[in-house]
Amino acid sequence: MDTRLKQEQASIRKTSARKRSSSRDKGSLGERLFQIFNICFFIGMGLTTLIPFVNLIAKSFSSEAAVVSGSVNLFPIGFQIGTYRYVLQDILFIQSFRTSVIVTVLGTLLGLLFTTLTAYPLSKLRLRGRKWFLLYFIFTMLFSGGLIPTYLLMQELKLVNSIGVLFLPGMVNIFYLLLIKNYFEGLPESLEESAKIDGAGHLRILVSIVLPLSLPVLATIGLFFAVQYWNDYFAAMIYISNPEIKPLQLFLKEMLVASSNDFLKDRVDAALNTTPQSIQAASILLATLPILLVYPFLQKYFVKGVLIGSVKG
């Protein structure tokens, strides 16, 4: 009996071991298939965004005949750099580039400053009226006065046709404010309490303790602000009519919608040596380059800052 019982137990163990092995094999096969699908999917998505960009690069360096004939795909044909020379010598491009740099730098710095100064007190549960302040800010995020009242307000404030109108109205972004507020709420309260015992005030605590610990979210929000101001053309299209202070994105928009004859009417030399398509491609690439250069330095903070600033509600 003992021998038969031991045999049955051994058989049961072998059967269960085979089932577990089969389950592991199926699981590993499914995981491999899932990984293969993910790799193929993201490669495809990456190519859909990368190929048009590569095509722009090829057109900007290709000769006039190759661009006109439509034979340029992923590699330049008849390599030349004259297109970039014409673009960089264009006074309107230089002026618009300068305006975009000023707006982006000032808008990012002021946006971070005022959004942080607003988010810090709202992160404190002991703030009187905190709930109503939050409701007020969220209300302004969902509802606005409309385009015409906003334009009349900017006109009354003497901001129309000034660089200030491109960044002053958006210095406090409510969505970014909520991200920073949630990040501040996740910091240990004991750090501030120990600083208060040492005699530090609220501003000293914010500057010396909170901000150094908040570099991930600040870098992320700074990148958001920079991309927002650099890519914005709608505000300039509404409020700016002076060509000397038009930002780069509005310059590109007007250049892309202009006909070939209008585009090259003041560029006789360019008309003889290149095409509107190659000049447009070079201008777009030069406009994209600053953000591409900034992003790698902030990428390590990007995911961490967004996740930590959005998990705690």
Side-chain angles (χ1 to χ4, degrees):
M1 292 295 294
D2 293 340
T3 305
R4 183 180 299 176
L5 180 60
K6 291 180 180 179
Q7 290 176 350
E8 290 178 355
Q9 291 177 345
S11 177
I12 292 173
R13 285 196 295 269
K14 290 180 180 178
T15 302
S16 61
R18 284 197 298 268
K19 289 182 178 179
R20 288 195 300 268
S21 177
S22 176
S23 177
R24 285 195 298 269
D25 292 340
K26 291 181 180 178
S28 61
L29 177 60
E31 290 177 358
R32 287 198 297 270
L33 291 176
F34 183 70
Q35 290 177 358
I36 292 173
F37 172 79
N38 280 338
I39 292 172
C40 295
F41 175 78
F42 285 111
I43 288 176
M45 292 295 293
L47 290 176
T48 59
T49 58
L50 182 62
I51 289 177
F53 191 75
V54 174
N55 179 254
L56 280 178
I57 297 176
K59 282 185 177 180
S60 66
F61 286 107
S62 296
S63 64
E64 175 189 6
V67 175
V68 171
S69 64
S71 57
V72 180
N73 291 316
L74 300 180
F75 300 98
I77 299 177
F79 185 86
Q80 53 83 31
I81 59 173
T83 303
Y84 287 92
R85 185 174 68 250
Y86 291 122
V87 172
L88 294 175
Q89 290 176 349
D90 189 347
I91 186 63
L92 292 179
F93 179 87
I94 299 300
Q95 290 175 345
S96 61
F97 191 92
R98 183 180 65 245
T99 300
S100 288
V101 170
I102 294 173
V103 169
T104 301
V105 172
L106 291 179
T108 301
L109 294 178
L110 292 176
L112 278 175
L113 174 63
F114 285 95
T115 303
T116 301
L117 291 177
T118 308
Y120 180 67
L122 290 175
S123 66
K124 304 305 173 187
L125 296 177
R126 60 182 180 273
L127 176 68
R128 292 184 179 181
R130 174 178 180 269
K131 177 181 177 181
W132 298 107
F133 285 123
L134 286 174
L135 288 176
Y136 168 77
F137 283 117
I138 293 175
F139 181 85
T140 62
M141 181 175 66
L142 300 176
F143 303 98
S144 65
L147 182 60
I148 295 177
T150 303
Y151 181 87
L152 294 176
L153 176 62
M154 296 299 108
Q155 191 175 45
E156 192 70 21
L157 294 174
K158 310 299 183 183
L159 290 177
V160 175
N161 265 328
S162 68
I163 292 182
V165 77
L166 300 178
F167 62 88
L168 290 177
M171 284 193 302
V172 178
N173 185 292
I174 307 304
F175 176 68
Y176 303 161
L177 181 148
L178 295 177
L179 288 179
I180 298 177
K181 178 190 77 69
N182 292 341
Y183 190 98
F184 287 163
E185 289 176 351
L187 296 177
E189 192 71 22
S190 58
L191 294 175
E192 298 189 25
E193 292 175 355
S194 61
K196 288 180 181 178
I197 295 175
D198 294 335
H202 291 292
L203 185 60
R204 179 65 181 274
I205 293 173
L206 175 63
V207 174
S208 301
I209 297 177
V210 176
L211 293 185
L213 295 174
S214 305
L215 287 180
V217 72
L218 294 179
T220 302
I221 300 304
L223 179 63
F224 285 168
F225 269 119
V227 173
Q228 169 188 320
Y229 285 118
W230 185 263
N231 289 334
D232 183 35
Y233 74 93
F234 185 76
M237 186 173 63
I238 299 299
Y239 301 119
I240 302 297
S241 59
N242 184 358
E244 295 183 358
I245 58 174
K246 286 183 178 180
L248 185 58
Q249 302 305 325
L250 182 59
F251 170 80
L252 293 178
K253 182 257 182 188
E254 293 177 348
M255 179 184 66
L256 291 174
V257 300
S259 65
S260 299
N261 292 333
D262 292 337
F263 180 72
L264 291 176
K265 65 181 180 181
D266 295 326
R267 299 171 173 84
V268 178
D269 292 337
L272 297 176
N273 297 282
T274 187
T275 64
Q277 293 85 354
S278 59
I279 294 179
Q280 291 168 357
S283 300
I284 293 172
L285 290 173
L286 290 174
T288 309
L289 190 60
I291 295 297
L292 291 180
L293 294 178
V294 170
Y295 181 78
F297 297 99
L298 301 178
Q299 184 181 11
K300 61 180 180 180
Y301 300 109
F302 189 78
V303 175
K304 183 180 178 182
V306 171
L307 290 180
I308 296 179
S310 60
V311 169
K312 183 176 179 181

